[in-house]
């Protein structure tokens, strides 16, 4: 079971008791790793896991991770602060962890490094997307001047970056989609 920032891909939504693999002594929240195989965009060998999505009620279901990605996203989701991202992804939806959002990366794509099913969504923009995963450091648990930072996944270039909570980025909401 994957736990990051006190949230879980399966534990919170499925009601199981997840235990973190690592607890960060700097005061940040517990972290664990994905308990599902990582989708692999090229899936060229028998051990690879293909990226497969199904249209489902409320969004796109990742067949491998069983995560349901919200579709459509509101137009404002293209450029919001971290606090606003949390508001947009509230109720039955939540912000994804860094590892969850990384599962959407498709480095074989031209343009945005995300599966074409998401590109067809007018709310999907090339660029960086918020995760709830905090940037951690043993020496400095926050960004410059004690400001909290979070990891973002950049679908423009397929990379990761960090950003202060007061800055803006896009948001894509997620929830457990079933077994």
């Amino acid at each position: 079971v994957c736990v990051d920032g006190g949230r879980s891909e399966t534990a919170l939504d499925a009601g199981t008791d997840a235990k973190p693999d690592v607890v960060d002594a700097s005061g940040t929240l517990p972290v664990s790793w994905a308990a599902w195989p990582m989708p692999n965009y090229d899936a060229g060998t028998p051990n690879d896991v293909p990226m497969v999505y199904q249209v489902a009620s409320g969004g796109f279901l990742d067949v491998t991770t069983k995560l349901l990605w919200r579709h459509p996203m509101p137009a404002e989701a293209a450029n919001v602060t971290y606090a606003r991202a949390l508001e947009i992804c509230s109720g039955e939806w939540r912000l994804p962890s860094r590892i969850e959002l990384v599962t959407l990366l498709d480095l074989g794509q031209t343009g945005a490094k995300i599966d074409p099913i998401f590109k067809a969504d007018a709310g999907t923009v090339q660029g960086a997307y918020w995760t709830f995963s905090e940037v951690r450091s043993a020496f400095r648990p926050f960004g410059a001047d004690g400001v909290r930072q979070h990891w973002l996944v950049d679908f423009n270039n397929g990379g990761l970056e960090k950003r202060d909570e007061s800055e803006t980025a896009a948001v894509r909401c997620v929830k457990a989609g079933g077994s």
Side-chain angles (χ1 to χ4, degrees):
V1 175
C2 182
V3 178
D4 189 11
R7 298 177 188 229
S8 167
E9 285 79 5
T10 57
L12 292 180
D13 295 325
T16 61
D17 294 321
K19 302 290 186 227
D21 292 332
V22 178
V23 176
D24 191 331
S26 67
T28 55
L29 298 168
V31 177
S32 235
W33 303 104
W36 23 257
M38 285 296 291
N40 184 339
Y41 70 91
D42 64 359
T45 69
N47 293 329
D48 287 341
V49 179
M51 299 175 82
V52 179
Y53 301 95
Q54 296 175 346
V55 176
S57 177
F60 302 125
L61 177 66
D62 182 323
V63 173
T64 300
T65 66
K66 306 301 184 222
L67 295 171
L68 182 63
W69 296 94
R70 184 175 170 186
H71 169 77
M73 290 296 296
E76 71 172 305
N79 191 34
V80 296
T81 64
Y82 181 77
R84 184 65 186 128
L86 286 173
E87 291 171 7
I88 292 170
C89 295
S90 62
E92 65 180 309
W93 299 99
R94 61 179 174 76
L95 275 178
S97 68
R98 179 175 53 176
I99 193 66
E100 288 174 319
L101 200 55
V102 163
T103 67
L104 298 183
L105 281 175
D106 185 344
L107 301 177
Q109 292 294 313
T110 303
K113 306 300 183 199
I114 192 167
D115 191 272
I117 196 168
F118 292 96
K119 290 182 182 182
D121 178 358
T124 299
V125 297
Q126 280 186 228
Y129 280 73
W130 287 111
T131 75
F132 69 77
S133 301
E134 290 182 87
V135 175
R136 301 162 191 238
S137 167
F139 304 105
R140 200 162 103 184
F142 304 110
D145 302 321
V147 175
R148 287 188 185 273
Q149 293 183 317
H150 293 268
W151 286 104
L152 289 86
V153 175
D154 189 335
F155 291 104
N156 186 46
N157 60 22
L160 298 172
E161 63 180 77
K162 49 191 170 184
R163 202 167 282 182
D164 292 349
E165 289 182 346
S166 61
E167 296 180 78
T168 60
V171 63
R172 167 81 52 190
C173 305
V174 69
K175 68 178 179 177
S179 54

